[in-house]
C-alpha cells in the first residue's frame, strides 16, 4: 500500500496539526481529538466525558445553535465518539467548505461555555439517559458489558465505570461540573487536529492559524501512566436478562496499547474466534453445536487492556459446559503453537482490516482518525504507515507465549441467563460571521463499463485505482418475494445454504478459504434481489471470484449442514423476541403490507416454515431462481473491464440458466386503514418503547421518486430534520428519531420512528403524528428547508464514492431497478430539477396522515393506559403479531380498505 504522507505542525498554544492531502475526490475530513475520556472522571461524576460529547454539538458563542444544521446543509457527514481515553469529533465536508468546518471546530474549542446553559445541559442529559436505555438496558445482553467492565477493572481503576456513566451520576451533574470539565480538558494543548483530503496545504495551514492560533492554550494535563488491572484470582458472576438464550463470557486482563505483546494477542484472538474457520467456531458451533455463535477479541486501551471470549449458548445446551468447552479450546493453544496456515489466515485478515480503514480519508476509522490516534497515544503519527508491520511479524511461538501468559486463572466469568418472568488570533477576527464556501469543486461520478458473456451474465466494472482493493458482487433478480405461500423464508434459507458445501468444497473449506484471504462473504436476501458480495486485497480477487462462482454453480445443500443451519435459524427467530427493535421492524412491515404478502411476510421465515423446509425444496428454489440471465457481476476497484471479463468467462462462463418454477407471492399494495390506528406489541419489562409509524407509497420507477427523497431528507433523513429536532433536540424523548423509505418495484414504504423512554410513549406518538400532519400540509415545507435538503443531498453525493465497497453499494439499486448507466452522472441534475412545488405536492398527495399505521413495541402494562387516552383505535398484539383475544372482538377494531396510488 502507498505510504501516507503528511505534514505536522504545532501552534504556539500547543495545538498539534496534521495535514494529509488526497485529491482523488472533492472531499476533506476534519478530525479533532481531545485527550480526555471516561478515565479522567471522578467517582460520583461519571459520564461527563460522554455527556460533553453531546454538548459539543449544541452550539457555541458565534454559532449558537446545533452544529448539525450548517454542516448537513452542505452535505457533510459528522459525528463524535467517546471512549475511556479520548473524545473525537469529525466532519467529512465538500472540499470548498473546509473553512466552515474549521470555523465551527475552533469556536467550540474556544467559546463553548458562552452558549452552554442549564436547558441544554438538561436536554442532552435526557438524551444520554435514553441512549443508555437504548444501547444497554433495552438491548439483549446490553448490561453484560457494564458488569464485565466493573469486574475486570476493580475500583479504584479508572476503567471501572462505564463510558456512558451511571444514571445517578448523570442526574447529579450540574452546570458548574460541566464548565469545570470543559475548562480543564477542552483546550488546544490537549487536542490534535487532523485534516485529510482535497485541499491546498498552504491554504489549510493558513486557515488553521487564522481560527485556532489565538485560542488560549489551557493547562497541560499530565498523561496517566499505564495501570494494570488490580483483579486477583477468578470471579464468577451471573446476570439475569430478558433473553431467550444464555450467553457466557470469559475475560482476562491483558496489556495496554503499544505493549510488546499487543500484536500477538490480536493474532491469538483471530485464531481463536474470528470467523467460521476459527478454533472456537469449529469446536463449539460447527462440530459440537453447543453454541449459536462465538467470538474472541483483544481490546487494548491507553492504560490497560483485556482479552475476551463470548459464546451464545445453543438451545438446550448447558452454559457451564459451553464455558468449559471454550476453555478446553484455549488450553490446546496453551499446549502448542498454532499452525502456519492459521497464522497466515489471521495476518491476512488483520492486513485487510488495515487496508479497509486506510481506504477512507475520514470517519471513525479513516486516515485522519488514524493519524490522530497515533499522534495522541504514541506521539508519532508516522506509525500510520508502519504499525501494521508488528502485527504481520508475529510468530507462532509469540502466540503460544501470550496464550500461556495471559489466558490463565486470573479471569472474570459471567453467565447471562434468561430471567424469570418478572421485570427489571494574530488578527482581529469576527468569529460571528460564518465563512462562505470556496469555489465549488468539480466532481464526475465513476463511469460504469459493461460487457455480456455468451450465457447472458452481465459484467459491470467501475475502475477505482489508488488502494490495492477490489469489491465484487453478484446480483440476482430474485428475493424473498419469490417465497411460496406455505414456505416463508425459503429464499433466505437458500442463500444461507449456498456457502455450506459445493461439489468440490465442504462448508469448512469454504469458510477457511474466505477467511484465509482476509475477507468475508455477505449473502443478502432482500425482497426483490439476492446478492453475494466480498471485498478483498487486489491480489486475492481472482480467488474470491472463483469461490463465489463455485457457490453459484455447484451447491450441494448437504443434509447435515441443513440440520445445523436450521437449528441456528430457529434459535435466531426465538431470539428475535428479545429484541424490541427487531420485533418492530418485522411487525411494522407485516401490518402495512399484510403478513402473508410478498413485501410483508418475514424474510427469515417463521419457526413453523423453517422447521419443515426440506433439502429438495431448497434445491428447487435454487434451480428455479439462480442463473446468469438477469444476473449481474459487478466489480469495483483496482481492476479493468478486460481483466474482469476474462476472469468471469473462466469462472462463470459455463453457468447454466435457471429452470423457472411456479411464481412466488403476488407483489401488490397491501390494505390501508380507514383511520390512523395504533398497534401495541407487548414486550414485558422493556426499558423503552420502540415506535414505528408508516404508510405505503409509490414504486421506485414513479416520477415522484426524486421529490420524495428530498421530502424524506428534511422530514427525518438527517440529524437536523424535523422529527429528530422535535423528539430529541427539543423534547429529549429519544436518542435518535428518523424517517426512511424502503423502495421496491411494486411500491414503497415510508416509515418514521425511534426508541423513547417508556414514560413518554404516548407524548412521543402524539409528536410523531403531529409531524406527519405538519409535513402533509399543516406546516408546509419552507423554502429554506427545501434548499437546505437539496443542497445537502448534492454536496454529500461525492463522498458516497470513496471506497470500492461504497461504489458497489450504489450499483446494487441500479441493477435492482434497471436504472441506466448514466444514472449516477445524471443524479445531481435530477435532484436539482426538483422544485419546492414538487416537494409540497408529494407531501400533500403521498403523506396521508389520516391513515397511518403506528406500532409500539413496549411494556403493555406501562404504556397501554397512556395510549388509550389518545382516543385512537388501539389493537394489542401478541409476540408473533397476532391480535390478542381481548381485542379480537372490540368494536373499535380498525376497518381496512384496499390501497390505491
Amino acid at each position: 500500500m502507498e505510504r501516507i504522507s503528511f505534514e505536522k505542525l504545532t501552534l504556539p498554544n500547543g495545538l498539534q496539526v496534521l495535514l494529509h492531502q488526497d485529491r482523488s475526490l472533492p472531499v476533506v475530513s476534519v478530525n479533532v481529538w481531545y485527550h480526555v475520556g471516561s478515565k479522567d472522571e471522578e467517582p460520583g461524576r461519571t459520564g461527563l466525558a460522554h455527556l460533553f460529547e453531546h454538548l459539543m454539538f449544541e452550539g457555541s458563542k458565534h454559532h449558537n445553535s446545533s452544529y448539525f444544521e450548517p454542516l448537513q446543509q452542505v452535505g457533510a457527514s459528522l459525528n463524535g465518539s467517546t471512549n475511556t481515553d479520548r473524545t473525537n469529533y469529525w466532519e467529512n465536508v465538500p472540499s470548498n467548505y473546509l473553512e466552515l468546518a474549521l470555523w465551527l471546530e475552533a469556536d467550540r474549542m474556544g467559546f463553548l461555555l458562552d452558549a452552554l446553559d442549564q436547558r441544554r445541559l438538561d436536554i442532552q442529559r435526557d438524551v444520554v439517559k435514553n441512549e443508555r436505555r437504548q444501547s444497554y438496558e433495552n438491548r439483549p445482553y446490553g448490561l453484560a458489558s457494564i458488569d464485565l467492565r466493573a469486574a475486570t477493572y476493580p475500583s479504584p481503576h479508572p476503567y471501572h465505570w462505564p463510558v456512558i456513566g451511571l444514571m445517578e451520576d448523570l442526574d447529579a451533574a450540574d452546570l458548574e461540573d460541566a464548565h469545570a470539565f470543559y475548562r480543564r480538558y477542552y483546550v488546544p494543548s490537549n487536542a490534535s487536529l487532523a485534516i485529510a483530503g482535497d485541499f491546498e496545504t498552504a491554504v489549510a495551514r493558513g486557515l488553521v492559524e487564522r481560527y485556532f492560533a489565538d485560542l488560549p492554550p489551557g493547562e497541560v494535563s499530565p498523561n496517566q501512566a499505564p495501570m494494570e488491572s488490580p483483579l486477583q484470582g477468578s470471579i464468577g458472576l451471573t446476570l439475569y436478562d430478558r433473553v431467550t438464550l444464555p450467553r457466557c463470557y470469559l475475560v482476562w486482563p491483558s496489556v495496554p496499547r503499544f505493549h510488546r505483546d499487543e500484536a500477538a494477542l490480536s493474532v491469538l484472538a483471530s485464531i481463536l474466534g474470528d470467523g467460521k474457520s476459527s478454533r472456537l467456531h469449529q469446536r463449539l458451533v460447527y462440530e459440537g453445536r453447543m453454541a449459536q455463535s462465538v467470538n474472541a477479541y483483544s481490546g487494548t486501551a491507553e492504560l490497560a487492556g483485556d482479552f475476551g471470549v463470548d459464546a451464545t449458548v445453543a438451545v438446550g445446551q448447558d452454559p457451564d459446559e459451553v464455558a468449559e468447552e471454550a476453555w478446553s479450546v484455549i488450553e490446546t493453544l496453551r499446549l502448542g503453537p498454532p499452525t502456519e496456515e492459521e497464522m497466515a489466515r489471521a495476518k491476512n485478515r488483520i492486513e485487510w482490516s488495515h487496508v479497509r480503514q486506510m481506504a477512507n480519508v475520514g470517519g471513525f476509522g479513516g486516515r485522519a482518525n488514524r493519524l490522530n490516534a497515533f499522534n495522541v497515544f504514541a506521539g508519532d503519527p508516522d506509525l500510520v504507515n508502519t504499525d501494521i508491520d508488528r502485527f504481520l511479524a508475529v510468530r507462532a511461538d509469540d502466540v503460544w507465549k501470550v496464550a500461556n501468559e495471559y489466558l490463565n486463572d486470573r479471569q472474570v466469568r459471567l453467565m447471562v441467563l434468561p430471567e424469570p418472568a418478572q421485570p427489571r488570533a494574530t488578527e482581529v477576527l469576527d468569529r460571528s460571521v460564518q465563512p462562505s464556501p470556496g469555489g465549488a469543486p468539480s466532481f464526475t461520478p465513476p463511469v460504469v463499463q459493461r460487457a455480456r458473456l455468451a450465457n447472458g451474465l452481465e459484467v459491470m466494472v467501475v475502475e477505482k485505482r489508488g488502494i490495492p482493493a477490489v469489491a465484487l458482487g453478484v446480483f440476482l433478480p430474485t428475493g424473498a418475494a419469490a417465497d411460496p405461500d406455505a414456505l416463508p423464508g425459503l429464499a433466505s434459507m437458500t442463500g444461507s445454504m449456498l456457502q455450506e458445501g459445493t461439489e468440490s468444497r465442504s462448508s469448512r473449506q469454504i469458510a477457511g478459504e474466505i477467511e484465509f484471504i482476509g475477507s468475508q462473504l455477505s449473502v443478502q436476501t432482500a425482497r426483490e434481489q439476492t446478492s453475494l458480495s466480498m471485498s478483498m486485497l487486489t491480489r486475492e480477487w481472482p480467488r474470491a471470484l472463483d469461490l463465489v462462482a463455485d457457490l453459484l454453480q455447484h451447491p450441494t445443500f448437504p443434509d447435515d449442514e441443513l440440520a445445523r443451519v436450521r437449528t441456528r435459524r430457529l434459535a435466531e427467530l426465538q431470539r428475535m423476541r428479545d429484541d424490541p427493535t427487531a420485533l418492530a421492524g418485522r411487525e411494522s412491515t407485516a401490518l402495512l403490507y399484510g403478513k402473508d404478502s410478498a413485501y410483508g411476510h418475514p424474510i427469515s421465515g417463521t419457526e413453523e416454515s423453517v422447521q419443515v423446509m426440506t433439502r429438495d425444496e431448497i434445491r428447487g428454489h435454487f434451480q428455479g431462481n439462480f442463473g446468469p440471465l438477469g444476473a449481474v457481476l459487478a466489480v469495483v476497484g483496482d481492476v479493468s473491464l478486460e481483466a474482469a471479463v476474462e476472469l468471469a468467462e473462466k469462472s462463470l462462463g459455463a453457468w447454466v440458466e435457471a429452470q423457472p418454477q411456479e411464481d412466488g407471492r403476488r407483489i401488490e399494495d397491501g390494505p390501508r386503514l380507514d383511520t390512523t390506528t395504533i398497534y401495541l406489541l407487548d414486550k414485558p419489562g422493556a426499558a423503552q418503547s420502540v415506535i414505528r409509524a408508516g404508510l405505503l407509497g409509490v414504486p421506485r420507477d414513479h416520477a415522484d421518486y426524486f421529490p420524495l427523497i428530498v421530502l424524506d431528507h428534511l422530514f427525518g433523513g438527517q440529524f437536523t430534520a424535523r422529527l429528530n429536532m422535535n423528539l430529541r433536540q427539543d423534547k429529549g424523548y429519544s436518542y435518535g428519531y428518523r424517517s426512511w423509505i424502503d423502495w421496491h418495484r411494486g411500491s414503497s414504504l415510508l416509515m418514521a420512528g425511534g426508541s423513547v423512554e417508556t414514560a413518554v410513549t404516548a407524548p412521543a406518538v402524539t409528536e410523531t403524528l403531529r409531524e406527519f400532519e405538519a409535513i402533509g400540509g399543516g406546516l408546509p415545507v419552507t423554502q429554506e428547508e427545501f434548499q437546505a435538503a437539496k443542497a445537502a443531498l448534492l454536496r454529500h453525493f461525492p463522498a458516497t464514492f470513496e471506497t470500492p465497497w461504497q461504489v458497489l453499494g450504489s450499483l446494487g439499486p441500479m441493477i435492482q431497478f434497471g436504472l441506466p448507466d448514466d444514472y449516477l452522472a445524471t443524479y445531481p441534475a435530477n435532484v436539482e430539477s426538483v422544485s419546492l412545488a414538487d416537494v409540497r405536492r408529494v407531501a400533500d398527495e403521498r403523506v396521508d396522515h389520516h391513515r397511518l399505521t403506528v406500532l409500539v413495541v413496549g411494556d403493555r402494562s406501562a404504556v397501554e393506559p397512556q395510549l388509550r387516552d389518545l382516543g385512537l383505535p388501539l389493537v394489542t398484539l401478541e409476540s408473533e403479531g397476532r391480535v390478542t383475544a381481548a381485542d379480537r372482538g372490540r368494536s373499535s377494531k380498525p376497518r381496512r380498505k384496499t390501497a390505491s396510488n
Side-chain angles (χ1 to χ4, degrees):
M1 183 171 174
E2 294 182 6
R3 181 178 180 81
I4 304 301
S5 60
F6 63 91
E7 176 183 327
K8 180 177 179 179
L9 59 143
T10 302
L11 300 187
N13 59 11
L15 177 67
Q16 298 184 54
V17 183
L18 304 163
L19 304 175
H20 162 61
Q21 192 180 71
D22 178 348
R23 314 210 72 167
S24 59
L25 285 176
V27 175
V28 63
S29 180
V30 173
N31 189 296
V32 180
W33 274 41
Y34 293 92
H35 198 174
V36 57
S38 61
K39 76 177 191 307
D40 301 293
E41 298 161 349
E42 298 293 335
R45 288 296 184 268
T46 65
L48 268 177
H50 176 256
L51 176 58
F52 232 94
E53 175 207 321
H54 285 248
L55 294 171
M56 286 281 279
F57 287 97
E58 294 308 295
S60 51
K61 180 178 181 179
H62 304 102
H63 178 76
N64 196 2
S65 60
S66 170
Y67 270 47
F68 284 86
E69 292 173 5
L71 287 164
Q72 290 194 332
Q73 285 175 8
V74 305
S77 300
L78 65 156
N79 213 325
S81 68
T82 309
N83 64 25
T84 54
D85 307 313
R86 63 95 183 107
T87 308
N88 74 337
Y89 305 89
W90 57 265
E91 305 88 33
N92 296 341
V93 300
S95 53
N96 56 324
Y97 286 93
L98 171 60
E99 186 174 4
L100 171 65
L102 293 175
W103 172 69
L104 288 167
E105 286 292 359
D107 210 58
R108 63 180 171 186
M109 182 181 288
F111 305 97
L112 186 89
L113 297 187
D114 299 84
L116 178 56
D117 56 21
Q118 189 66 47
R119 181 176 182 275
R120 281 182 173 161
L121 176 64
D122 290 342
I123 288 176
Q124 291 309 307
R125 187 202 333 260
D126 285 344
V127 170
V128 168
K129 290 165 70 175
N130 271 311
E131 180 182 358
R132 180 184 161 109
R133 295 183 185 101
Q134 180 174 325
S135 301
Y136 297 92
E137 296 165 21
N138 210 40
R139 177 174 293 176
Y141 313 102
L143 292 172
S145 62
I146 295 177
D147 286 4
L148 282 169
R149 175 173 291 279
T152 306
Y153 300 100
S155 183
H157 199 285
Y159 290 171
H160 178 67
W161 50 85
V163 172
I164 201 166
L166 304 175
M167 281 290 199
E168 59 270 24
D169 293 352
L170 290 170
D171 287 334
D174 58 27
L175 194 58
E176 181 49 39
D177 291 327
H179 279 230
F181 194 85
Y182 176 84
R183 287 192 295 264
R184 181 173 181 182
Y185 294 111
Y186 278 80
V187 293
S189 56
N190 198 44
S192 180
L193 164 66
I195 304 173
D198 179 31
F199 60 85
E200 293 287 351
T201 301
V203 172
R205 192 186 302 116
L207 291 173
V208 169
E209 292 174 350
R210 174 179 175 83
Y211 287 106
F212 291 89
D214 66 340
L215 300 181
E219 295 184 12
V220 178
S221 299
N223 292 335
Q224 298 186 44
M227 179 180 179
E228 188 177 357
S229 165
L231 177 67
Q232 300 296 322
S234 177
I235 294 178
L237 302 172
T238 301
L239 171 67
Y240 291 94
D241 198 359
R242 294 182 294 273
V243 295
T244 300
L245 298 179
R247 179 178 288 177
C248 57
Y249 295 83
L250 298 171
V251 179
W252 296 264
S254 64
V255 300
R257 187 177 285 112
F258 300 117
H259 187 279
R260 64 181 181 277
D261 290 333
E262 179 189 15
L265 284 164
S266 293
V267 175
L268 171 62
S270 182
I271 291 170
L272 276 175
D274 185 9
K276 293 182 178 180
S277 56
S278 65
R279 291 196 182 191
L280 285 167
H281 184 93
Q282 286 294 309
R283 177 79 69 83
L284 273 68
V285 179
Y286 187 83
E287 296 172 354
R289 305 191 182 182
M290 304 173 69
Q292 182 78 2
S293 62
V294 64
N295 299 286
Y297 73 88
S298 176
T300 57
E302 189 171 15
L303 304 187
D306 50 79
F307 188 102
V309 170
D310 65 80
T312 303
V313 180
V315 175
Q317 298 295 316
D318 183 271
D320 290 317
E321 292 181 6
V322 172
E324 288 304 317
E325 190 68 14
W327 177 245
S328 73
V329 174
I330 293 167
E331 279 287 313
T332 63
L333 266 172
R334 286 162 51 88
L335 295 173
T339 66
E340 288 305 314
E341 181 179 355
E342 286 178 311
M343 292 293 294
R345 179 184 68 86
K347 291 180 184 180
N348 283 341
R349 292 175 74 80
I350 290 170
E351 183 182 9
W352 176 235
S353 176
H354 169 73
V355 170
R356 282 184 65 91
Q357 285 187 317
M358 293 299 101
N360 296 88
V361 294
F364 283 123
R367 278 168 262 161
N369 200 63
R370 298 291 286 167
L371 283 165
N372 266 341
F374 289 117
N375 190 46
V376 169
F377 291 140
D380 182 7
D382 193 50
L383 286 174
V384 73
N385 291 304
T386 61
D387 190 60
I388 184 65
D389 297 340
R390 64 190 175 106
F391 292 86
L392 302 182
V394 171
R395 300 172 304 173
D397 284 347
D398 299 328
V399 176
W400 181 26
K401 169 184 166 294
V402 297
N404 280 278
E405 183 169 350
Y406 298 103
L407 306 192
N408 48 39
D409 291 335
R410 184 170 169 249
Q411 63 177 250
V412 176
R413 182 175 295 200
L414 170 66
M415 295 293 181
V416 180
L417 303 177
E419 68 176 14
Q422 59 186 22
R424 201 210 160 204
T426 54
E427 59 179 314
V428 177
L429 178 63
D430 185 355
R431 294 180 180 272
S432 65
V433 178
Q434 177 174 317
S436 57
S442 62
F443 172 68
T444 302
V447 176
V448 175
Q449 304 175 72
R450 286 185 191 255
R452 188 185 297 272
L453 304 188
N455 62 0
L457 175 68
E458 280 200 67
V459 180
M460 177 185 290
V461 171
V462 173
E463 291 191 39
K464 186 170 179 58
R465 308 291 182 171
I467 62 168
V470 172
L472 71 86
V474 177
F475 298 87
L476 298 112
T478 184
D483 283 344
D485 287 343
L487 283 177
L490 181 61
S492 174
M493 183 66 87
T494 303
S496 296
M497 285 297 298
L498 286 177
Q499 52 191 313
E500 298 302 332
T502 68
E503 293 172 6
S504 60
R505 291 175 168 99
S506 68
S507 175
R508 283 186 177 184
Q509 289 172 323
I510 292 167
E513 287 189 43
I514 293 170
E515 290 164 9
F516 186 83
I517 64 176
S519 187
Q520 291 181 323
L521 172 67
S522 173
V523 181
Q524 297 291 327
T525 303
R527 297 287 177 183
E528 298 174 330
Q529 187 179 67
T530 299
S531 64
L532 291 79
S533 60
M534 298 176 68
S535 54
M536 69 296 298
L537 295 165
T538 303
R539 67 173 185 258
E540 304 290 0
W541 99 267
R543 186 171 179 175
L545 179 60
D546 178 73
L547 177 59
V548 170
D550 191 30
L551 304 185
L552 287 168
Q553 296 174 95
H554 310 296
T556 55
F557 310 108
D559 283 322
D560 58 335
E561 303 295 354
L562 174 58
R564 180 178 58 82
V565 172
R566 186 198 316 278
T567 300
R568 180 182 178 87
R569 177 67 62 89
L570 288 170
E572 290 171 350
L573 291 171
Q574 292 167 11
R575 288 174 64 192
M576 184 178 287
R577 302 171 192 157
D578 303 335
D579 189 340
T581 303
L583 288 172
R586 182 186 70 185
E587 298 304 328
S588 59
T589 305
L591 287 169
L592 280 155
Y593 281 114
K595 66 182 181 65
D596 295 320
S597 67
Y599 293 153
H601 77 283
I603 291 178
S604 297
T606 65
E607 292 180 43
E608 293 77 15
S609 66
V610 171
Q611 190 67 61
V612 301
M613 276 181 203
T614 66
R615 177 176 180 269
D616 287 344
E617 288 164 335
I618 292 172
R619 177 181 285 279
H621 181 85
F622 171 79
Q623 292 173 339
N625 292 278
F626 285 68
L629 196 61
V632 177
L633 166 64
V635 185
V636 182
D638 189 18
V639 65
S640 66
L641 176 64
E642 294 74 17
V645 170
E646 181 181 354
L647 282 175
E649 192 64 58
K650 291 178 181 178
S651 299
L652 289 162
W655 193 9
V656 298
E657 185 48 57
Q659 304 161 19
Q661 311 289 309
E662 62 178 271
D663 292 338
R665 297 161 191 262
R666 293 182 62 190
I667 297 178
E668 58 186 8
D669 279 349
R672 287 186 181 172
L673 300 165
D674 283 338
T675 186
T676 293
T677 300
I678 300 173
Y679 295 85
L680 173 58
L681 179 61
D682 189 20
K683 184 70 173 67
Q688 287 183 306
S689 296
V690 180
I691 299 172
R692 295 287 184 267
L695 70 163
L696 301 182
V698 298
R700 171 61 181 83
D701 62 0
H702 197 280
D704 285 341
Y705 171 77
F706 283 101
L708 281 167
I709 65 170
V710 176
L711 177 69
D712 174 62
H713 199 71
L714 62 90
F715 182 48
Q718 61 178 349
F719 187 92
T720 54
R722 287 187 177 192
L723 284 166
N724 197 60
M725 295 303 289
N726 181 351
L727 281 98
R728 169 177 163 146
Q729 293 299 91
D730 184 54
K731 305 293 190 308
Y733 290 166
S734 176
Y735 177 53
Y737 217 83
R738 64 188 188 95
S739 69
W740 62 95
I741 302 177
D742 288 337
W743 294 100
H744 303 298
R745 290 192 290 264
S747 68
S748 61
L749 185 155
L750 171 62
M751 190 71 76
S755 299
V756 303
E757 183 182 356
T758 299
V760 296
T761 301
V765 169
T766 298
E767 293 302 323
T768 304
L769 299 179
R770 285 176 179 168
E771 291 295 344
F772 268 102
E773 181 179 3
I775 203 73
L779 184 62
V781 175
T782 66
Q783 180 71 27
E784 182 181 7
E785 284 181 300
F786 163 71
Q787 292 293 356
K790 275 208 325 185
L793 289 169
L794 291 170
R795 291 163 180 162
H796 180 68
F797 183 60
T800 61
F801 301 97
E802 188 173 7
T803 65
W805 35 97
Q806 283 178 293
V807 178
L808 184 69
S810 297
L811 298 182
M814 288 181 60
I815 296 165
Q816 178 181 354
F817 300 116
L819 303 177
D821 285 354
D822 66 352
Y823 172 75
L824 298 176
T826 59
Y827 176 89
N830 283 323
V831 173
E832 194 61 65
S833 68
V834 175
S835 68
L836 177 59
D838 292 331
V839 174
R840 287 178 172 174
R841 175 183 56 78
V842 296
D844 177 61
E845 295 177 359
R846 307 297 175 196
V847 183
D848 186 353
H849 61 272
H850 298 293
R851 297 180 178 88
L852 293 170
T853 295
V854 181
L855 172 66
V856 177
V857 180
D859 188 339
R860 178 181 174 185
S861 64
V863 303
E864 183 176 4
Q866 302 177 41
L867 295 173
R868 291 208 180 275
D869 286 344
L870 296 181
L872 293 168
L874 177 67
V875 179
T876 55
L877 305 175
E878 297 172 346
S879 62
E880 298 301 320
R882 295 182 292 269
V883 178
T884 61
D887 273 339
R888 288 189 190 121
R890 284 184 183 271
S891 60
S892 62
K893 182 176 178 180
R895 294 179 296 123
R896 289 186 173 268
K897 65 178 186 179
T898 303
S900 63
N901 288 323

